[in-house]
Amino acid sequence: QKEVEQDPGPLSVPEGAIVSLNCTYSNSAFQYFMWYRQYSRKGPELLMYTYSSGNKEDGRFTAQVDKSSKYISLFIRDSQPSDSATYLCAMSPQGGSEKLVFGKGTKLTVNP
Amino acid sequence: ETGVTQTPRHLVMGMTNKKSLKCEQHLGHNAMYWYKQSAKKPLELMFVYSLEERVENNSVPSRFSPECPNSSHLFLHLHTLQPEDSALYLCASSPRPRENSEAFFGQGTRLTVV
């Protein structure tokens, strides 16, 4: 079993839709969970950063972590065409960047 | 534009060539990283430098040779590469290694080996 599983999509939604992106993982030592957004021909940029279980909200974005199920989610409300990108989940046991394990990324297209 | 700059943006090289990728960060960070991003695969960490000292080498073939002359610059020297080495090579930096800190990525170098 891979350490981090992420459905690569592609996922296509109409503008204004609620988008749900998910990752599952197998390593119970992971405590730090991140979502990166990567636009075409750009490097990844950090979108959300959470520690342990719970929810974190930032504008239209909500990150959820369920450690008991080893499952993390990113919700995007009122999706916009500018949200079209590849979303990468990443996690690490200690918070240090050198221990980050990434998912394959989900390619999202929001159609106007 | 991010504080991590990579050059060149695109590179095509033959299997017998020698080339180098360059990364520069203007963020005052102490750790720098090389990642490989291939189609349909997760980001793979290749090398980690902390305060100019290599602290991680994830079983990367010797045809990839990193160099970190100072905390702001990182190079990846390439020689006798294989076509399967074609990928996006990403440089990243973070304030402190082994601590809770965000990694900032450059835009990457798209490498094609022919």
Side-chain angles (χ1 to χ4, degrees):
Chain A
Q1 182 183 8
K2 293 187 177 65
E3 272 200 295
V4 179
E5 299 269 10
Q6 182 176 11
D7 186 340
L11 182 61
S12 183
V13 302
E15 184 175 353
I18 296 175
V19 176
S20 172
L21 304 167
N22 312 293
C23 287
T24 59
Y25 62 94
S26 57
N27 187 348
S28 57
F30 288 142
Q31 296 193 73
Y32 297 86
F33 304 91
M34 284 139 272
W35 287 95
Y36 281 83
R37 178 174 61 195
Q38 185 174 18
Y39 290 116
S40 180
R41 290 184 291 278
K42 300 278 191 182
E45 56 177 338
L46 184 67
L47 195 59
M48 299 286 281
Y49 190 121
T50 53
Y51 169 72
S52 196
S53 284
N55 292 4
K56 184 173 183 178
E57 190 173 319
D58 184 1
R60 296 184 295 110
F61 298 89
T62 300
Q64 284 187 352
V65 175
D66 182 350
K67 290 188 71 180
S68 61
S69 302
K70 298 191 181 67
Y71 187 89
I72 69 170
S73 301
L74 178 71
F75 296 96
I76 307 175
R77 290 184 300 281
D78 187 25
S79 56
Q80 303 295 309
S82 58
D83 295 327
S84 299
T86 296
Y87 289 80
L88 308 166
C89 65
M91 47 200 79
S92 72
Q94 303 160 283
S97 299
E98 80 279 8
K99 297 295 184 186
L100 278 178
V101 180
F102 284 84
K104 291 183 182 180
T106 300
K107 185 175 171 64
L108 170 69
T109 301
V110 181
N111 301 299
Chain B
E1 193 66 58
T2 67
V4 180
T5 305
Q6 289 186 245
T7 54
R9 294 292 307 278
H10 301 273
L11 178 62
V12 179
M13 61 185 288
M15 289 189 284
T16 58
N17 290 160
K18 288 185 181 180
K19 296 285 184 184
S20 295
L21 310 185
K22 180 182 176 183
C23 176
E24 184 174 359
Q25 58 99 356
H26 311 278
L27 302 167
H29 289 168
N30 289 320
M32 296 186 77
Y33 312 81
W34 279 117
Y35 282 89
K36 176 183 178 183
Q37 187 174 37
S38 305
K40 295 183 170 48
K41 288 177 129 181
L43 273 169
E44 301 170 56
L45 179 64
M46 300 175 72
F47 300 104
V48 180
Y49 275 84
S50 169
L51 296 170
E52 303 149 42
E53 179 184 343
R54 190 191 309 181
V55 295
E56 187 109 4
N57 174 353
N58 281 354
S59 304
V60 179
S62 59
R63 56 186 184 270
F64 296 92
S65 174
E67 179 190 0
C68 187
N70 55 62
S71 59
S72 298
H73 293 86
L74 185 65
F75 295 90
L76 188 63
H77 304 300
L78 316 170
H79 64 98
T80 59
L81 294 193
Q82 305 298 310
E84 60 263 30
D85 296 323
S86 298
L88 181 68
Y89 288 84
L90 290 160
C91 173
S93 71
S94 68
R96 298 164 301 279
R98 299 198 175 98
E99 288 184 29
N100 183 6
S101 57
E102 173 186 349
F104 290 81
F105 286 85
Q107 297 197 50
T109 294
R110 174 69 62 187
L111 173 68
T112 304
V113 181
V114 297

